[in-house]
Amino acid sequence: MKSKSPFLLLLLFVCNVHAQNTASLVIQSKSDHTISRHIYGQFSEHLGRCIYDGFWVAPSLDVPKKDRIRLDIVEALKKIKIPNLRWPGGCFADEYHWRDGIGPRDQRPKMVNTNWGGVTEDNSFGTHEFLDLCELLHCEPYVSANVGSGTVEEMAKWVEYLNFDGVSPQSTIRAQNGHPAPFKVSFWGVGNESWGCGGNMTAAFYADQYRRYATYARNYPGAPLKKIASGASDFDFNWTETIMKQVPVNDMWGVSLHYYTVPQTWQDKGSATSFDEKQYFTTMKKCLLMDTVVTKHAAIMDKYDPKKKVALVVDEWGVWTNVEPGTNPGFLYQQNSLRDALIAGSTLNIFNNHSDRVRMAELAQTINVLQALILTNKEKILLTPTYHVFDLYKVHQDAAYLPITLNSPAYKSGNEEIPAVNVSASRDSSGAVHISFVNLNPKEKITVSTSLDGVQWKGVTGQILTSAKFTDVNTFEQPDKIHIVPFSGAKKQGDKLVVELPAESVVVLELK
């Protein structure tokens, strides 16, 4: 047998490299549902500097504010159109008693935040302050009620306090506290992580508790509730099975799910800023497991709810690393790198592609905690790479979901591999099509050839978020190191869209 010529070997090598760096995508024009804007929700717990020294600042701090709500943060969040805000927790929710946070502030009792740092809070930020914040943000409140250490009566009276438009003991107190009209809060979480910090319950016990609490959480005229059951962590499929089996579908609007991307282990999560490509790959692999987690929980829900009436609510997700050196370990303050942005883009693509079932989600957390959108340092704020992803992806909110078929090259590390590219697509009310791409490969650009079945378009524009290294971050000294810039690497070739995705990048295109 003759050996292959050097030219032929070179040709085979070039063809193999080309195949490795090429993806194919088909986008269908037919849509049967929308991508709910509530997928782009945020989570703000009484934890570290998220509420106090985040949203709610000292009167002496020289920044624009209304009461003590920091307005530069409000304006930044309005720009990305956050649709909802979850509060007061998290684990904190199941030790929070709402009556302590109403009335004259100088008369409110102090409390110890036993979950997060053992700090004493003065309850100056309570129900009215939270709802004032939501009004400024033009977003819907999502209240998590206390099931772990609270009572049925306590939750029932909180609902009455916020939603009843008439004469009652709770509405009278609300009026005395300056708000005669009802707030009409729709989204209510019935407990949080009831399998863990919310009471260490079994699934069967919690299901019974949910039915009991939900019974007394009343729908007052003009204020129907969307009640959300405390759902599973990660791969606990039995929890979802039990909830769906024991709670009637019509008794809940949604079931929650929590999944965090932890780069190493829960005992030593890894650094937010100092990691090599091997750990980068492992982190991305764990991020993409969100697709598996959502798929399997959704399949269980389909057995009991084939019409998909109940939403899967991923109300805690994001990257969880070790805290920044020298900071309070109970405050969960971490930096935010390009890696976080790629994880945010990939996760949101997963939610978009499961938007028939995933109709609500909340990133953990909005300010100064975990995968935050915004970091603060006294008068300064900075927008993280993750913030910029939400800015890019806001075009998907309430847009028609467009089904995709993607054939992606692999991104390999040793004997492991993951898809290098992930994508989602939608069509907005004006008819414009938006496609969000993420290239996870930190070294190779990838060409994506896209067929648009039944989509009529004439031109394409785009924006990109990337940086030289996946460890790059925005700092208070250099707040715009990673930011959105125009993208010109997409063009029309015949009836196809061809996109050159740079390494480690998030790209969003608009076709008109």
Side-chain angles (χ1 to χ4, degrees):
M1 183 176 178
K2 293 182 178 180
S3 61
K4 293 182 174 70
S5 70
F7 174 77
L8 182 58
L9 288 171
L10 177 62
L11 181 63
L12 290 170
F13 173 77
V14 171
C15 290
N16 185 50
V17 169
H18 178 73
Q20 289 177 350
N21 294 326
T22 303
S24 63
L25 174 67
V26 177
I27 299 177
Q28 304 289 334
S29 63
K30 186 177 180 181
S31 176
D32 61 4
H33 69 272
T34 61
I35 297 172
S36 172
R37 69 186 183 279
H38 288 295
I39 285 174
Y40 292 83
Q42 303 299 324
F43 172 37
S44 290
E45 183 170 7
H46 286 241
L47 198 175
R49 296 192 300 115
C50 185
I51 299 295
Y52 297 97
D53 201 27
F55 281 116
W56 190 247
V57 296
S60 59
L61 190 69
D62 186 19
V63 295
K65 48 189 176 290
K66 183 175 182 181
D67 193 356
R68 289 170 55 186
I69 296 172
R70 185 166 181 164
L71 293 180
D72 51 357
I73 286 176
V74 167
E75 291 306 309
L77 296 177
K78 281 170 61 180
K79 181 177 184 292
I80 62 172
K81 299 181 179 179
I82 72 164
N84 64 69
L85 188 64
R86 181 174 179 244
W87 171 87
C91 293
F92 181 82
D94 283 289
E95 66 174 351
Y96 181 69
H97 300 284
W98 68 271
R99 291 184 183 90
D100 294 343
I102 61 172
R105 290 179 195 152
D106 59 357
Q107 297 176 26
R108 298 179 190 178
K110 293 181 172 59
M111 68 170 292
V112 179
N113 189 335
T114 60
N115 279 286
W116 304 117
V119 296
T120 299
E121 296 196 7
D122 65 3
N123 273 314
S124 60
F125 188 92
T127 296
H128 287 257
E129 290 77 16
F130 169 64
L131 293 167
D132 287 346
L133 171 61
C134 290
E135 184 177 5
L136 290 172
L137 290 169
H138 302 160
C139 77
E140 288 198 53
Y142 171 13
V143 172
S144 291
N146 184 344
V147 171
S149 68
T151 65
V152 171
E153 179 191 25
E154 184 178 17
M155 180 180 178
K157 288 187 174 179
W158 202 3
V159 174
E160 179 189 328
Y161 183 90
L162 291 179
N163 288 357
F164 182 61
D165 187 8
V167 178
S168 78
Q170 301 308 314
S171 63
T172 298
I173 298 171
R174 183 187 69 226
Q176 291 170 352
N177 290 331
H179 208 280
F183 289 101
K184 297 185 178 180
V185 174
S186 178
F187 291 112
W188 286 82
V190 184
N192 167 78
E193 293 190 359
S194 300
W195 40 264
C197 63
N200 285 307
M201 304 176 194
T202 64
F205 181 81
Y206 172 74
D208 286 343
Q209 291 298 299
Y210 175 88
R211 292 168 66 129
R212 180 168 169 252
Y213 275 73
T215 296
Y216 294 95
R218 305 294 190 188
N219 291 322
Y220 291 105
L225 302 189
K226 295 176 180 175
K227 289 172 273 195
I228 299 167
S230 176
S233 173
D234 304 336
F235 304 96
D236 186 357
F237 304 114
N238 175 67
W239 188 278
T240 299
E241 182 97 34
T242 303
I243 299 300
M244 295 302 298
K245 190 174 182 179
Q246 293 188 207
V247 178
V249 167
N250 292 332
D251 286 355
M252 54 185 170
W253 183 85
V255 177
S256 72
L257 170 66
H258 292 177
Y259 178 79
Y260 285 97
T261 297
V262 179
Q264 293 182 175
T265 67
W266 280 104
Q267 291 72 37
D268 179 14
K269 300 176 185 69
S271 170
T273 57
S274 179
F275 48 88
D276 59 17
E277 187 179 347
K278 183 177 180 180
Q279 188 173 103
Y280 167 86
F281 176 89
T282 300
T283 306
M284 292 306 172
K285 184 178 180 181
K286 290 182 176 182
C287 161
L288 295 182
L289 279 175
M290 177 69 87
D291 187 69
T292 301
V293 173
V294 167
T295 298
K296 291 187 175 181
H297 284 287
I300 293 167
M301 296 174 73
D302 287 348
K303 289 196 304 180
Y304 301 92
D305 176 29
K307 294 183 179 179
K308 301 183 187 295
K309 292 182 178 180
V310 180
L312 182 58
V313 179
V314 191
D315 56 15
E316 289 188 31
W317 68 271
V319 185
W320 195 327
T321 67
N322 293 335
V323 302
E324 289 302 294
T327 65
N328 188 324
F331 282 10
L332 306 188
Y333 178 83
Q334 63 190 51
Q335 247 294 1
N336 197 290
S337 69
L338 179 64
R339 178 180 71 173
D340 297 56
L342 297 168
I343 287 171
S346 299
T347 303
L348 291 171
N349 280 341
I350 290 168
F351 293 161
N352 288 347
N353 289 324
H354 286 278
S355 51
D356 59 336
R357 180 65 81 176
V358 178
R359 297 197 288 276
M360 192 175 195
E362 283 76 25
L363 174 73
Q365 294 189 8
T366 320
I367 308 171
N368 291 329
V369 173
L370 298 177
Q371 191 176 351
L373 298 178
I374 298 171
L375 302 179
T376 69
N377 180 10
K378 298 180 181 177
E379 287 81 14
K380 294 181 181 179
I381 69 168
L382 69 80
L383 308 177
T384 69
T386 296
Y387 172 93
H388 294 303
V389 171
F390 275 82
D391 195 10
L392 285 170
Y393 276 54
K394 66 188 178 187
V395 293
H396 290 304
Q397 291 190 25
D398 286 340
Y401 168 71
L402 299 181
I404 66 163
T405 302
L406 174 67
N407 182 15
S408 169
Y411 166 38
K412 298 180 180 180
S413 177
N415 295 324
E416 296 184 294
E417 62 180 49
I418 58 175
V421 175
N422 59 80
V423 182
S424 67
S426 67
R427 183 175 54 242
D428 69 17
S429 58
S430 74
V433 170
H434 294 98
I435 313 170
S436 48
F437 298 88
V438 179
N439 179 6
L440 296 177
N441 192 313
K443 295 178 179 176
E444 303 289 342
K445 72 175 183 180
I446 295 175
T447 302
V448 184
S449 178
T450 303
S451 299
L452 295 117
D453 187 6
V455 177
Q456 301 298 317
W457 62 289
K458 295 181 179 179
V460 57
T461 57
Q463 294 179 293
I464 185 171
L465 188 73
T466 188
S467 195
K469 297 182 292 183
F470 48 56
T471 52
D472 283 349
V473 300
N474 289 339
T475 65
F476 292 101
E477 294 73 34
Q478 196 174 1
D480 294 319
K481 183 179 182 68
I482 304 174
H483 64 280
I484 298 169
V485 297
F487 175 71
S488 58
K491 57 188 175 181
K492 191 171 187 178
Q493 288 188 352
D495 60 353
K496 289 195 173 182
L497 170 69
V498 178
V499 187
E500 297 279 351
L501 294 178
E504 55 188 20
S505 66
V506 180
V507 171
V508 174
L509 302 180
E510 179 174 283
L511 279 58
K512 286 187 174 180

